[in-house]
């Protein structure tokens, strides 16, 4: 049986991407032409066709996207693994009112593909914890997620 392919986020996936969650982001490396993969958590689905995320504005990912806007986010959730592909653009290189120098990137979704191998499902979603000051982390997370929603 072939895995399901959609052109937008489903109603099941949309809520998952409206919370801070662990995802990976793959871009085309501007030097080697191969994949460049990063893990991020500041990600937010504006609607079923657009995802925004924040990343350090010195990230190689931004240079990659300027040269080649193709991008894929991989998420583990809703019982499976999904590759969400599209084209990205940098909305701003410095998000206002945030103490870190973060860029805001928006993806126009082209394809949402269930890439889980046959006969299996995700039973436990990835969990992580911030390893710096918990109060500072919560404040920063709140600021960044608020910026992604606007």
């Amino acid at each position: 049986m072939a895995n399901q392919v959609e052109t937008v986020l489903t109603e099941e996936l949309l809520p998952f991407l409206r919370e801070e969650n662990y995802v990976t982001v793959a871009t085309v490396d501007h030097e080697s032409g191969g994949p460049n993969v990063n893990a991020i958590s500041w990600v937010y689905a504006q609607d079923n066709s657009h995802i925004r995320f924040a990343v350090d504005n010195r990230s190689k990912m931004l240079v990659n996207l300027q040269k080649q806007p193709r991008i894929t986010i991989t998420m583990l959730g809703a019982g499976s693994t999904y590759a969400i592909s599209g084209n990205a653009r940098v909305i701003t290189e410095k998000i206002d009112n945030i103490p870190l120098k973060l860029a805001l990137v928006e993806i126009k979704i082209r394809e949402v593909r269930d890439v889980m191998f046959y006969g299996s499902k995700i039973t436990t979603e990835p969990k992580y914890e911030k390893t710096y000051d918990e109060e500072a982390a919560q404040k920063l997370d709140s600021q960044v997620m608020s910026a992604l929603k606007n």
Side-chain angles (χ1 to χ4, degrees):
M1 172 185 271
N3 288 346
Q4 186 174 349
V5 179
E6 302 287 344
T7 57
V8 295
L9 293 171
T10 64
E11 292 302 315
E12 183 180 32
L13 298 181
L14 194 59
F16 182 87
L17 287 167
R18 286 196 163 158
E19 300 175 0
E20 183 181 348
N21 278 299
Y22 173 89
V23 299
T24 61
V25 179
T27 57
V28 178
D29 188 289
H30 73 278
E31 295 171 319
S32 71
N36 183 65
V37 180
N38 295 277
I40 64 171
S41 63
W42 290 322
V43 59
Y44 183 79
Q46 287 289 108
D47 54 39
N48 66 355
S49 299
H50 298 88
I51 296 173
R52 287 184 173 184
F53 66 89
V55 65
D56 186 300
N57 69 7
R58 298 166 295 177
S59 173
K60 182 177 183 178
M61 186 187 322
L62 297 178
V63 177
N64 292 344
L65 291 172
Q66 289 171 350
K67 305 280 183 182
Q68 173 54 259
R70 290 185 301 176
I71 192 167
T72 298
I73 287 183
T74 303
M75 64 166 261
L76 285 75
S80 197
T81 303
Y82 297 90
I84 304 164
S85 301
N87 288 326
R89 68 182 179 96
V90 177
I91 293 177
T92 182
E93 291 188 16
K94 171 72 173 82
I95 302 173
D96 292 333
N97 303 317
I98 293 180
L100 299 179
K101 294 180 180 178
L102 299 177
L104 175 62
V105 179
E106 183 174 84
I107 302 168
K108 169 68 173 125
I109 297 171
R110 183 180 64 249
E111 177 181 88
V112 180
R113 181 178 296 269
D114 182 337
V115 296
M116 192 70 187
F117 50 91
Y118 179 76
S120 62
K121 69 176 185 175
I122 297 293
T123 57
T124 304
E125 295 173 3
K127 298 285 185 214
Y128 61 90
E129 63 182 51
K130 304 291 172 89
T131 57
Y132 57 101
D133 180 291
E134 186 176 329
E135 187 175 314
Q138 288 177 347
K139 181 178 180 184
L140 181 60
D141 290 346
S142 177
Q143 291 172 322
V144 173
M145 293 304 287
S146 178
L148 294 178
K149 293 175 185 179
N150 292 328

